[in-house]
Amino acid sequence: MRVISTFIISCLLALSASADSVVDLVDDDFDSKLNSFDTTLVMFYAPWCGHCKRLKPEFEKAASLLKSNDPPITLAKVDCTEGGKSTCNRFSVQGYPTLKIFKNGEVSSEYNGPRESAGIAKFMRAQVGPSAKDLLNVKAVEEYLAKEDVAVVGFFADESSELKGVFVKLADKLRESVRFGISTNKDVLSKYGYSDKIVLFRPKHLHNKFEPDFVVYEGAATKEAINTWVEKNFFGLVGHRTVDNAAQFKEPIVVAFFGVDYVKNPKGTNYWRNRILKVAQSFRGDFNFAISNKDDFQQELNEFGLDYIPDDKPRVAVRDSSSRKFTMKDAFSVESFEKFLNDVKEGKLEPYLKSEALPDNSTPLKTAVAKNFDEVVINNGKDTLIEFYAPWCGHCKKLGPVFEEVANALKDEDVAIVKMDATANDVPSKFEVRGFPTLYWLSKDDKDNHVRYEGGREKDDFIKYIAKHATKELKGWDRSGAPKDLKEL
């Protein structure tokens, strides 16, 4: 019991310390406190807001991670429903949570970075101090390389080195995603054996026998060339892909999903990663490779038709250069993984298509699913207006009956009115769907150049738009959208 009590007390103290790391600001002390901080990330929130509730623990963890940062970074929050109402109005806070970066009491920029603790801390560290950390002695370099992130370090004996100037400019450009260090110290140059070189060091937990622990840049002294080199080598042969850095991994990409955890289970994580590496070395010119935590990417797994993973073995998914999806059906082994990649490479596998069942489509309003999209939208021989919707979307529900009215009104015209549930079906990659509903107009003779519909959402708005843009003038309406005389029909 005493052990349990001690454990509970320790957890409560840890949570308390994390929460105490965030500074609470109200109208009366907002300016005075903020002026005393060099760099501050402020979260304007409302206690009832669901997104705020999800962000709050991550924000508190990030504040704890940044507590001893040099130079200092402060995380603060303002309750827009209580003591901070005037402050929130002053900074035009219209949604929750709103995050802004302040420097010396003045707004520096909007915060558009990650929303999980490690990502927030990394993003904010990149906002302070020089873009390349000055490593003054051997101990500073050793401590810098001991951290669990990739480090790109410039070693320069000559202060006026052309390569150094380009290196600093690149560090300024990439400071939010890459850690840069720089040293001109003679002892450092002597220990590491470089005098005018850039070296990319991989963190110790990602060291393996299939690739070097560091890479030396040997190219031209241009920002573009060094940038390309950093991007090519940053993640190594098999990178650790997280929610924070997922966007940096480019297609074609092979991802192995399993219980990746370099904090609680580094040995188990590298057991599987080493098997991925063993195969990946034979395909390094064909795919990019990564490992991801299965629990962090459950939604992505669902996009590949993979449900919750109850065991330890990796599940492998591929997106090729055309964004087509493939999943490995066999249980993971080095042999089955290698065969799967060869089959993908040689075009022997059918891509996975997330799709609802084929609909009846006997009514004027047609339904597209992934399996019939080309038939119903691309190859239908008609001008087409398509709505990509989500079943839970309020605006979509309101539009539904209007869209049906439009389809009924145009049932005898050379026009197709189509809807598609974008949450239950794979949407072709050329259609950008970021919100709901999203509507596109496709001319029957030029389906490759679809146009986003930005007009009104009433029946007459749609009729007028279609009448104006139809390839052939409608039978029932003139080009202005006015109904034709019934005698002319």
Side-chain angles (χ1 to χ4, degrees):
M1 285 298 292
R2 183 176 298 172
V3 172
I4 294 172
S5 299
T6 303
F7 175 75
I8 294 171
I9 291 170
S10 298
C11 292
L12 291 172
L13 288 172
L15 289 170
S16 175
S18 178
D20 289 346
S21 300
V22 178
V23 177
D24 281 295
L25 300 175
V26 294
D27 294 334
D28 292 341
D29 64 11
F30 184 86
D31 291 322
S32 59
K33 282 189 177 180
L34 217 58
N35 285 332
S36 67
F37 304 137
D38 294 332
T39 302
T40 311
L41 176 61
V42 179
M43 174 174 70
F44 298 92
Y45 74 100
W48 46 259
C49 159
H51 293 297
C52 303
K53 290 177 182 177
R54 284 191 290 273
L55 177 60
K56 189 178 178 183
E58 297 296 326
F59 200 71
E60 289 169 350
K61 288 179 194 173
S64 184
L65 291 171
L66 292 168
K67 201 166 187 178
S68 57
N69 195 76
D70 182 24
I73 301 169
T74 304
L75 266 59
K77 64 182 189 291
V78 178
D79 185 344
C80 294
T81 66
E82 293 293 340
K85 286 182 181 179
S86 297
T87 301
C88 294
N89 289 333
R90 175 156 54 113
F91 290 101
S92 303
V93 175
Q94 297 180 342
Y96 307 114
T98 292
L99 292 95
K100 296 177 185 284
I101 299 171
F102 289 76
K103 294 196 174 180
N104 299 312
E106 299 290 331
V107 175
S108 170
S109 64
E110 299 292 322
Y111 175 86
N112 295 307
R115 296 296 176 100
E116 47 85 27
S117 59
I120 294 170
K122 181 178 179 181
F123 187 96
M124 290 306 299
R125 287 191 186 107
Q127 306 303 311
V128 298
S131 54
K133 184 176 178 60
D134 198 3
L135 305 173
L136 300 176
N137 50 52
V138 172
K139 183 181 179 182
V141 177
E142 290 174 345
E143 289 177 348
Y144 196 68
L145 298 183
K147 296 184 183 298
E148 295 186 353
D149 284 316
V150 172
V152 180
V153 180
F155 299 90
F156 303 105
D158 184 358
E159 288 284 353
S160 61
S161 161
E162 179 187 5
L163 186 62
K164 180 186 176 187
V166 174
F167 177 79
V168 171
K169 288 181 181 178
L170 180 65
D172 289 338
K173 176 187 175 185
L174 299 180
R175 65 183 297 160
E176 291 179 0
S177 57
V178 180
R179 283 197 314 139
F180 288 91
I182 190 167
S183 186
T184 57
N185 179 271
K186 290 181 181 179
D187 292 337
V188 170
L189 303 187
S190 175
K191 175 177 173 59
Y192 288 91
Y194 305 115
S195 61
D196 195 39
K197 290 291 185 180
I198 300 169
V199 185
L200 182 148
F201 294 90
R202 298 191 172 109
K204 188 174 181 178
H205 69 282
L206 295 181
H207 289 183
N208 62 84
K209 66 181 182 181
F210 301 100
E211 60 185 342
D213 301 337
F214 60 90
V215 188
V216 181
Y217 180 69
E218 302 288 357
T222 66
K223 189 170 73 172
E224 293 73 23
I226 302 170
N227 187 48
T228 299
W229 173 79
V230 170
E231 288 182 354
K232 179 182 178 182
N233 292 282
F234 190 80
F235 292 113
L237 184 54
V238 178
H240 179 195
R241 178 173 171 268
T242 66
V243 174
D244 179 28
N245 67 21
Q248 294 174 252
F249 286 82
K250 306 302 181 186
E251 297 172 356
I253 177 79
V254 178
V255 183
F257 298 91
F258 60 98
V260 176
D261 191 335
Y262 276 108
V263 176
K264 296 179 180 178
N265 188 21
K267 186 176 180 180
T269 298
N270 278 333
Y271 172 85
W272 290 115
R273 180 172 181 260
N274 285 335
R275 280 149 182 74
I276 305 295
L277 280 159
K278 185 175 183 178
V279 176
Q281 61 182 337
S282 301
F283 294 88
R284 67 172 70 231
D286 304 304
F287 304 100
N288 298 310
F289 289 84
I291 57 172
S292 286
N293 183 283
K294 61 183 181 179
D295 296 330
D296 291 343
F297 287 90
Q298 186 57 56
Q299 184 174 345
E300 186 172 313
L301 282 166
N302 293 342
E303 291 297 313
F304 283 89
L306 297 170
D307 295 325
Y308 175 72
I309 301 173
D311 55 57
D312 293 334
K313 283 197 172 185
R315 301 299 191 273
V316 178
V318 175
R319 278 189 188 270
D320 69 10
S321 54
S322 300
S323 288
R324 295 182 304 169
K325 298 184 292 186
F326 300 87
T327 56
M328 192 170 99
K329 305 296 184 185
D330 296 331
F332 182 89
S333 68
V334 169
E335 294 74 22
S336 63
F337 184 35
E338 186 171 16
K339 181 181 183 302
F340 169 67
L341 292 182
N342 274 318
D343 288 346
V344 173
K345 181 181 172 182
E346 295 168 12
K348 294 181 178 179
L349 301 180
E350 283 291 319
Y352 170 75
L353 201 60
K354 180 183 176 183
S355 179
E356 293 178 289
L358 290 172
D360 177 21
N361 272 344
S362 59
T363 59
L365 178 60
K366 305 302 179 185
T367 298
V369 297
K371 291 178 181 178
N372 73 357
F373 190 87
D374 284 352
E375 175 191 344
V376 174
V377 178
I378 304 300
N379 302 321
N380 60 7
K382 296 182 178 183
D383 294 325
T384 303
L385 181 66
I386 182 169
E387 175 207 3
F388 296 102
Y389 73 94
W392 44 258
C393 160
H395 294 295
C396 303
K397 291 176 182 177
K398 184 178 179 182
L399 179 60
V402 176
F403 223 54
E404 197 163 348
E405 283 184 53
V406 174
N408 287 327
L410 299 176
K411 63 182 180 181
D412 296 324
E413 302 286 353
D414 196 25
V415 176
I417 308 299
V418 183
K419 64 177 181 177
M420 181 177 188
D421 182 348
T423 68
N425 298 276
D426 280 338
V427 176
S429 58
K430 65 181 180 179
F431 293 91
E432 186 176 334
V433 179
R434 292 188 177 179
F436 300 111
T438 294
L439 296 97
Y440 281 100
W441 171 256
L442 298 87
S443 173
K444 75 173 184 178
D445 296 327
D446 193 12
K447 291 290 175 81
D448 288 335
N449 292 310
H450 49 277
V451 178
R452 187 186 289 271
Y453 175 83
E454 302 285 8
R457 302 283 177 87
E458 300 299 328
K459 176 184 173 182
D460 288 346
D461 297 321
F462 287 116
I463 296 292
K464 287 179 180 179
Y465 179 92
I466 294 169
K468 179 180 179 180
H469 292 91
T471 301
K472 182 180 179 181
E473 185 171 300
L474 299 180
K475 291 181 283 186
W477 293 263
D478 63 23
R479 286 294 185 184
S480 70
K484 293 180 179 179
D485 190 315
L486 292 176
K487 293 180 181 179
E488 297 178 8
L489 296 180

